[in-house]
Amino acid sequence: MNERQTLKINNLGHLEIGGVDAKALKEQYGTPLYVMDQAYIEDMCKIYADTLKKEYGDGMIAYASKAFSCLEIYRIINKMGIGADSVSAGEMFTAKTAGFPMEKICLHGNNKSSFELEYAVQNNVGYIVLDSYTEASELNEICKKYNKVQKVLIRVNPGIEAHTHHFVQTAKVDSKFGYSIGSGEAEKVVCFVKKQENLDLVGLHCHIGSQIFEYKSFELAVEKMTDFYKKLSDLYGYSFDVINIGGGFGVWYADGDAKKSCNEYAEYIKIISGALKRCVAEKSLKKPYLILEPGRSIVGEAGVTLYTAGRTKEIKGIKNYIAIDGGMFDNPRYALYQAKYSVVSALNMNAKKSNKYTIAGKCCESGDIIAEDVMLPEIKEGDLIAVLSTGAYNYSMSSNYNRNLIPPVVMVKDGESRYIVKPQTFEDLIRNDV
């Protein structure tokens, strides 16, 4: 466990999150339950924003909403003074409803609908990141309709293959995202967008993948992007005001991952800021406004999911299964790309871990697994199981598969807890059925 003041073992030997005993959380809210540590989220926002200002100056941290989106998270990041990136009309609507300043939003997506583009223009979204020729043309016509000029970035592909699962690599040559610098296509699309009268091409965007621990990958991205800036400047006289290097900073999930404190995550910002300052100076470029888009690293380790252990099954010489009252409907990441997690016995934290278990969900799917071959004390029905680092992409990817209810989300801070997403009801489940 990557322990901290707000995630620790208390004197009862129980897991404590944000000053609240996991036992009390189960008793008050039931399971399965998403728990989010507000102090951790606020600390990460502050450290990222402060580090960017100190190390680089003019820029913005834009929280990647897809990691975890609800009204309260937008209220928190707004209070902390950072921006957001959005990938859908639903995320934009949620942000707007929470009172988030829309000019601090970057809209992404490789296939934005006409409705989403128009919604963004109507609501004065700060930047729209373009990912196709036809999108650029359509957005230009929408802006003419509303007599607006929209600031845009173009998503380009610098061709860096970060060492992550291939499903979360987004800047390799074969990717649904962005235009390749190496093939010359990025240069063509830049020239095309420059001709659109109602689009103001202020800069470029890239995102090289997710769960990246190698700082060198981000330095290479900055090198490639500024080389491209330099080429466009020399060939066409184009000048840009913005560079967006995306996010993808790796977080701790299990043994083998680096354990970082909040302050140590600042190193990602320092590395990128330093590389960009150096490249801009060496290549005689105008210093751009720097946007970075961390998501997982802001909320990932803030989250813990609590489950109650159900049936156990021993297959002699093969596996011991523990079934939980959740599963792939609240955490599909193992089923999608074998994501790893740390699992603990939440009310027996100091006991010897002498048994190997596979944690299975309750869905009617053989692939409904949360974690394999985890070492735990002996687990009995009714025990409280906690899965750590579930703040990113768990609630976001949840579903009503098998007509299970999506668990509620509780925020904890300073020994207090509160709903930020209420429990679903069976009436919610059939609300739109006809």
Side-chain angles (χ1 to χ4, degrees):
M1 187 167 79
N2 191 12
E3 291 190 52
R4 56 183 185 265
Q5 183 59 35
T6 55
L7 182 70
K8 63 184 182 181
I9 302 169
N10 66 21
N11 56 13
L12 298 174
H14 297 176
L15 180 66
E16 184 179 291
I17 314 156
V20 185
D21 193 309
K23 181 180 181 182
L25 289 168
K26 178 183 178 179
E27 289 173 349
Q28 183 171 355
Y29 300 104
T31 62
L33 180 70
Y34 297 115
V35 184
M36 299 293 285
D37 176 358
Q38 183 172 342
Y40 186 89
I41 294 169
E42 291 172 345
D43 285 348
M44 289 301 299
C45 291
K46 185 176 190 310
I47 286 162
Y48 278 160
D50 288 352
T51 305
L52 181 61
K53 184 176 181 179
K54 177 183 175 183
E55 299 292 330
Y56 188 78
D58 198 19
M60 179 176 73
I61 299 295
Y63 166 68
S65 301
K66 61 185 179 290
F68 174 65
S69 182
C70 67
L71 289 170
E72 184 62 10
I73 196 68
Y74 288 111
R75 296 187 191 111
I76 289 172
I77 64 171
N78 188 30
K79 180 184 72 172
M80 300 310 296
I82 69 172
D85 91 42
S86 171
V87 295
S88 70
E91 287 183 357
M92 287 188 287
F93 174 79
T94 307
K96 181 183 177 184
T97 304
F100 193 83
M102 301 300 279
E103 68 274 11
K104 293 175 71 174
I105 286 182
C106 302
L107 175 63
H108 291 269
N110 67 305
N111 188 32
K112 306 176 197 70
S113 69
S114 301
F115 173 79
E116 286 171 324
L117 291 173
E118 189 157 0
Y119 189 86
V121 171
Q122 287 175 313
N123 287 283
N124 301 308
V125 161
Y127 303 95
I128 297 178
V129 183
L130 300 174
D131 212 328
S132 76
Y133 287 94
T134 53
E135 178 183 59
S137 297
E138 184 175 6
L139 179 60
N140 188 59
E141 292 304 312
I142 290 170
C143 290
K144 283 181 182 178
K145 174 181 172 181
Y146 290 97
N147 194 28
K148 290 184 176 182
V149 175
Q150 175 66 51
K151 289 182 180 180
V152 297
L153 309 176
I154 294 173
R155 181 158 183 171
V156 301
N157 185 333
I160 296 166
E161 295 197 28
H163 292 170
T164 61
H165 190 285
H166 66 278
F167 286 169
V168 292
Q169 288 180 347
T170 56
K172 56 184 181 176
V173 174
D174 178 12
S175 174
K176 75 173 190 175
F177 298 105
Y179 284 98
S180 170
I181 292 175
S183 71
E185 199 60 40
E187 184 179 329
K188 292 177 184 177
V189 75
V190 166
C191 293
F192 177 81
V193 173
K194 274 287 190 180
K195 295 175 183 176
Q196 308 305 307
E197 293 179 0
N198 288 71
L199 303 183
D200 181 13
L201 179 56
V202 295
L204 304 176
H205 170 276
C206 78
H207 178 73
I208 61 173
S210 296
Q211 194 58 3
I212 301 168
F213 289 98
E214 299 169 317
Y215 296 137
K216 186 67 176 176
S217 299
F218 296 104
E219 290 182 290
L220 286 172
V222 171
E223 288 275 3
K224 294 260 190 173
M225 293 292 280
T226 51
D227 282 346
F228 189 46
Y229 267 44
K230 178 68 172 172
K231 180 180 179 180
L232 294 171
S233 176
D234 290 347
L235 282 179
Y236 305 104
Y238 293 160
S239 178
F240 298 100
D241 299 320
V242 177
I243 186 168
N244 187 329
I245 302 295
F249 310 151
V251 307
W252 178 86
Y253 280 105
D255 291 343
D257 292 338
K259 289 185 176 182
K260 297 177 183 288
S261 67
C262 289
N263 285 316
E264 287 171 329
Y265 276 105
E267 192 65 22
Y268 287 107
I269 311 297
K270 291 178 183 177
I271 293 291
I272 294 170
S273 297
L276 184 55
K277 286 191 294 186
R278 174 177 53 78
C279 287
V280 164
E282 289 175 355
K283 297 165 192 177
S284 301
L285 296 168
K286 179 175 69 174
K287 184 181 177 185
Y289 185 81
L290 173 59
I291 300 176
L292 295 171
E293 297 173 334
R296 184 197 310 266
S297 57
I298 289 177
V299 296
E301 292 191 57
V304 176
T305 307
L306 299 179
Y307 301 103
T308 298
R311 317 301 180 196
T312 60
K313 181 178 291 186
E314 180 182 357
I315 305 175
K316 288 191 179 295
I318 299 177
K319 264 182 187 174
N320 291 332
Y321 284 97
I322 303 171
I324 54 173
D325 53 352
M328 63 190 297
F329 63 92
D330 63 74
N331 183 358
R333 294 186 67 249
Y334 183 90
L336 283 172
Y337 33 75
Q338 295 75 58
K340 56 186 179 179
Y341 285 100
S342 292
V343 182
V344 298
S345 180
L347 306 186
N348 204 12
M349 295 292 290
N350 294 322
K352 183 179 179 181
K353 298 178 180 180
S354 54
N355 295 272
K356 184 184 288 186
Y357 294 102
T358 289
I359 311 300
K362 68 189 292 286
C363 293
C364 195
E365 288 281 349
S366 296
D368 180 19
I369 301 293
I370 297 298
E372 289 193 274
D373 298 333
V374 296
M375 297 302 297
L376 292 168
E378 182 182 359
I379 300 295
K380 299 177 181 177
E381 285 190 37
D383 284 353
L384 185 60
I385 301 288
V387 181
L388 308 177
S389 296
T390 58
Y393 303 106
N394 290 48
Y395 174 75
S396 291
M397 290 182 172
S398 62
S399 73
N400 291 122
Y401 185 54
N402 287 177
R403 285 283 173 161
N404 285 297
L405 302 179
I406 295 171
V409 187
V410 166
M411 190 72 81
V412 292
K413 185 179 181 182
D414 298 331
E416 301 290 334
S417 63
R418 59 195 170 92
Y419 279 125
I420 61 169
V421 178
K422 294 187 293 185
Q424 279 193 333
T425 65
F426 287 129
E427 286 72 25
D428 293 329
L429 199 62
I430 63 170
R431 189 174 307 281
N432 294 322
D433 289 4
V434 177

